[in-house]
Amino acid sequence: MYVQQLEPVAGSLGLSALVAALPLAIVLVLLGGVRMKAHLAGLTGLLAAVLVAWLAYGMPLDQTLSSAAQGAAFGLFPILWIVVNALWVYRMTVRTRHFDILRRSFGRLSDDPRIQALVIAFCFGALLEALAGFGAPVAICSVMLVALGFDPVRAAVVALVANTAPVAFGAMGTPVVTLAQVTGLPLDDVASVVGRQTPLLALVVPLVLVGLVDGRRGLRETWVPAVACGAAFAVAQFVAANHVSAQLADIGAALAGAGALVAVPHARVPAAEAVRARVLTGVRSEELDQDDPRREVLRAYAPYALIVAVFSVAQIPAVKGRLAGATQTYDWPFLDVAGADGRPAGGNVFSWPIVSTGGTLVLIAGLGTAAVLGVHARVAVKEWLATVRELRFAILTVTSVLALAYVMNLSGQAATIGHFVAAAGAGLAFLSPVLGWFGVAVTGSDTSANALFGALQVTAARESGLSPQLLAAANSSGGVLGKMISPQNLTIACAAVGLAGREGDLLRKVLPWSLGLLLVMCLIVAGQSAPVLGWMLP
C-alpha cells in the first residue's frame, strides 16, 4: 500500500507545495506563454506529474502509471463518450440540412436584432452547450448571427459573452460530473450548489447582451423580454440541477428561456428600421426568407426533443434504478493507495456506468435522430467515425489532463497544495472562483479546470473549515467566466466570422465583462460562505 505524504520534500509544507505545483505550472506556462498545442501541453504536464509522484513523493512507478491510466479511462468514458455522441447528433442535422431549417426558424421569430441575440446566442447557444460544448456554441451562433446581418465583430462578442451561464452543465453535465469524480463528492451535492450560483449569472447576461447589441436604448426598449428570458432560464436551471438531473439542467433552461421570449408579446414586435440601421452593419442573408414545410421544421427540432425525452424517461425512479443496476464496479489493477489519514483512497475502485451514463443516453437519442431524419445506417456510422476523427486532438487533451489530475490526486500532490492554500483562511471563499476562472482562461475548458483544481479546492476547504461543496462548485462557477477570454474560444470565434488574426480585438471587448462578472461571482461565493448568503446553500 502506498500512503500519501503531505510534506515529502525536506519535511516542509511550503517546499512540498512548490514541487507539487510544478506539473500545473508547466501546463499553464506552455499553454498561456509558449502557446503550445493543448494536447502537447497536457502530455508534458502528465510526464511532469508522474516524475514528481515517483521521485518526490515516493509513489511506486507501477501505481503512478496505473493512476494515470485510470484518469485516461475516465476521460474516455464517460466524458468523451458524451461529447462524441452529442456532436454526432449535430453532424447528422448538418448533413441532412435540417440545421439550416432550424436556423431559418430562429431568424423568423423576430426582426429585432436584440431579440435575435437572446434567442440564438443565449438560448440556442445554451442548448448547443448542453449537447456538445467545447467551442461549438460560439462557432455556430456567431455564424448564425452574421447570417442575420450582424456585424462580424459584434456577432463574435455576443456569442462569447452569452457562452457563460450554461458552461458548468455543458456537454450533458460533463464539467460537474468530472468535478464530482475528482473530488469524491456526490454529483447531486456538487450540481446542487453550482445550480445556486450560475443561475444568478443567467439573470444578468441577457441584459448585458441587449446592451452589447444596442447600448442603453437596447436596455430601455427590451429589458422586459431580457429579464423574462433570464429569469426563466435561471429558474429552470436551478430546478433541474437541484431536483431533476444535472445532465438536463441546460436543456431545460434553454427551452424555458426561449419559451419565455415567445410568450412576451414585446419580443415579437419588429424592430424599428432606425435600430436595425444602427445595430447592424452587415447584410441579412436572403436565404432566411426561404419557406420551409412545417413537416421539415418539426423534423429539425426532433433531435433535441428526442434527447430531452430520453433523459426525462431515464430520470423516472423505476427506470433510473434499472439503468443504475447495470453499473459495473472493479478494483483498479496495480493501485492500492491510502490517504495521509490511512483511509483507502476512492481511486482504488473504478465504476463503469455502462447504460446510465449520459453518453449512452445521447447515443440512443442519436439512433432515433438518424431514423427521424432519414439518415442511412451506413451514413450514420460514417458520421460517427468522422466525429471521432474531428475530435482526435481534443480526445488526447482531455485524456492527458485527466490522467495528470488523477496522478496528482492519488499521489498526494493536490492534498499538499490544498493544505498550503488553506492558509488564506476565510478569504479563500472569495478567491476560489478566481482559480477556476484562471484555469478555464488557460485551458479553454471548465472540465479541464475542474480536473486540475477540484481536489485542491476541496482539500483547502476542509483545512480552512469551509464547505467542500461550496468551493468545489465555485471552481466550476468561476470557471465559466474565463471561457470568453480563453485563446481557444477567441480563435474559434474569429475563424467562424472571418476575423482571423483579430483575437486581440475581441479580447479587449470581452475582458471587462469577464472580470466584472467574475467579481460578482466572487462576492456571491464569499456571501454563501457567511451568514449573508449562507441560507442559499442546501
Side-chain angles (χ1 to χ4, degrees):
M1 176 181 287
Y2 166 71
V3 180
Q4 295 177 355
Q5 303 176 64
L6 294 178
E7 303 175 352
V9 181
S12 167
L13 182 62
L15 287 175
S16 299
L18 188 63
V19 173
L22 279 176
L24 292 177
I26 288 171
V27 172
L28 298 178
V29 169
L30 291 179
L31 281 173
V34 181
R35 299 293 179 91
M36 181 181 284
K37 296 289 186 182
H39 62 282
L40 295 177
L43 289 171
T44 304
L46 171 60
L47 176 60
V50 167
L51 292 175
V52 170
W54 179 35
L55 300 176
Y57 278 74
M59 188 179 194
L61 186 58
D62 60 339
Q63 296 210 49
T64 302
L65 296 177
S66 180
S67 61
Q70 185 181 160
F74 178 71
L76 290 172
F77 192 100
I79 300 304
L80 288 163
W81 181 236
I82 298 172
V83 177
V84 168
N85 289 326
L87 279 176
W88 172 56
V89 173
Y90 165 69
R91 284 181 65 102
M92 285 192 291
T93 66
V94 172
R95 184 181 183 94
T96 59
R97 298 190 179 279
H98 283 89
F99 182 76
D100 293 332
I101 295 173
L102 188 68
R103 177 165 58 86
R104 288 193 289 269
S105 175
F106 288 154
R108 286 190 289 266
L109 178 64
S110 174
D111 282 336
D112 189 329
R114 300 162 298 191
I115 303 302
Q116 291 171 346
L118 294 177
V119 172
I120 293 174
F122 188 69
C123 297
F124 187 59
L127 187 60
L128 290 172
E129 182 67 37
L131 300 179
F134 293 91
V138 170
I140 295 168
C141 292
S142 296
V143 172
M144 292 176 73
L145 290 173
V146 170
L148 289 171
F150 276 63
D151 168 71
V153 172
R154 195 185 305 273
V157 170
V158 167
L160 285 166
V161 175
N163 191 218
T164 49
V167 169
F169 296 103
M172 293 300 172
T174 296
V176 290
V177 169
T178 302
L179 185 61
Q181 181 70 19
V182 300
T183 59
L185 299 173
L187 173 60
D188 289 344
D189 291 357
V190 174
S192 178
V193 180
V194 175
R196 295 163 191 250
Q197 294 171 343
T198 55
L200 299 177
L201 292 176
L203 295 173
V204 178
V205 171
L207 293 169
V208 173
L209 295 179
V210 297
L212 285 171
V213 174
D214 195 27
R216 292 182 180 178
R217 177 171 174 166
L219 286 170
R220 186 172 65 251
E221 295 181 353
T222 54
W223 69 269
V224 172
V227 169
C229 177
F233 187 104
V235 170
Q237 192 180 63
F238 165 79
V239 171
N242 282 272
H243 305 294
V244 184
S245 164
Q247 286 88 348
L248 286 176
D250 279 349
I251 293 177
L255 296 177
L261 280 175
V262 172
V264 176
H266 184 61
R268 299 194 300 273
V269 176
E273 288 301 317
V275 174
R276 178 170 295 282
R278 196 173 78 254
V279 171
L280 307 178
T281 59
V283 178
R284 183 174 183 271
S285 173
E286 294 181 1
E287 179 198 0
L288 297 172
D289 298 322
Q290 178 180 332
D291 289 328
D292 296 303
R294 180 178 294 274
R295 179 172 178 271
E296 295 304 314
V297 173
L298 292 175
R299 292 175 72 190
Y301 282 92
Y304 311 103
L306 281 170
I307 289 175
V308 173
V310 170
F311 272 83
S312 298
V313 170
Q315 297 308 310
I316 298 173
V319 177
K320 188 174 184 178
R322 292 184 67 86
L323 293 178
T327 298
Q328 302 292 317
T329 303
Y330 308 95
D331 289 327
W332 191 259
F334 307 110
L335 200 60
D336 188 12
V337 178
D341 56 4
R343 290 185 294 182
N348 296 331
V349 177
F350 184 78
S351 294
W352 189 25
I354 304 172
V355 184
S356 61
T357 187
T360 302
L361 297 178
V362 175
L363 177 64
I364 294 171
L367 295 174
T369 295
V372 171
L373 299 185
V375 180
H376 191 278
R378 184 180 65 257
V379 176
V381 171
K382 182 179 178 182
E383 286 296 327
W384 194 90
L385 294 174
T387 303
V388 174
R389 176 175 172 76
E390 179 185 338
L391 291 174
R392 61 190 184 280
F393 292 120
I395 291 172
L396 192 54
T397 299
V398 171
T399 51
S400 62
V401 167
L402 280 162
L404 181 157
Y406 268 60
V407 170
M408 291 191 65
N409 294 343
L410 290 171
S411 67
Q413 296 173 59
T416 297
I417 300 171
H419 279 74
F420 182 74
V421 172
L428 184 61
F430 181 85
L431 296 174
S432 57
V434 179
L435 191 58
W437 173 85
F438 181 72
V440 176
V442 173
T443 66
S445 165
D446 201 36
T447 298
S448 296
N450 286 344
L452 291 174
F453 300 129
L456 186 159
Q457 296 265 25
V458 167
T459 301
R462 287 175 174 150
E463 286 302 303
S464 24
L466 295 170
S467 164
Q469 290 85 356
L470 175 61
L471 262 62
N475 192 83
S476 193
S477 298
V480 306
L481 300 169
K483 189 93 170 179
M484 69 179 82
I485 64 168
S486 68
Q488 294 92 320
N489 248 24
L490 291 170
T491 301
I492 288 171
C494 284
V497 298
L499 296 175
R502 293 186 59 184
E503 288 85 356
D505 294 342
L506 292 187
L507 177 61
R508 285 190 290 273
K509 290 182 179 295
V510 299
L511 182 59
W513 295 109
S514 178
L515 293 175
L517 292 172
L518 174 64
L519 176 60
V520 172
M521 184 55 65
C522 289
L523 293 173
I524 290 171
V525 175
Q528 289 177 334
S529 70
V532 181
L533 296 178
W535 53 268
M536 293 180 63
L537 299 181

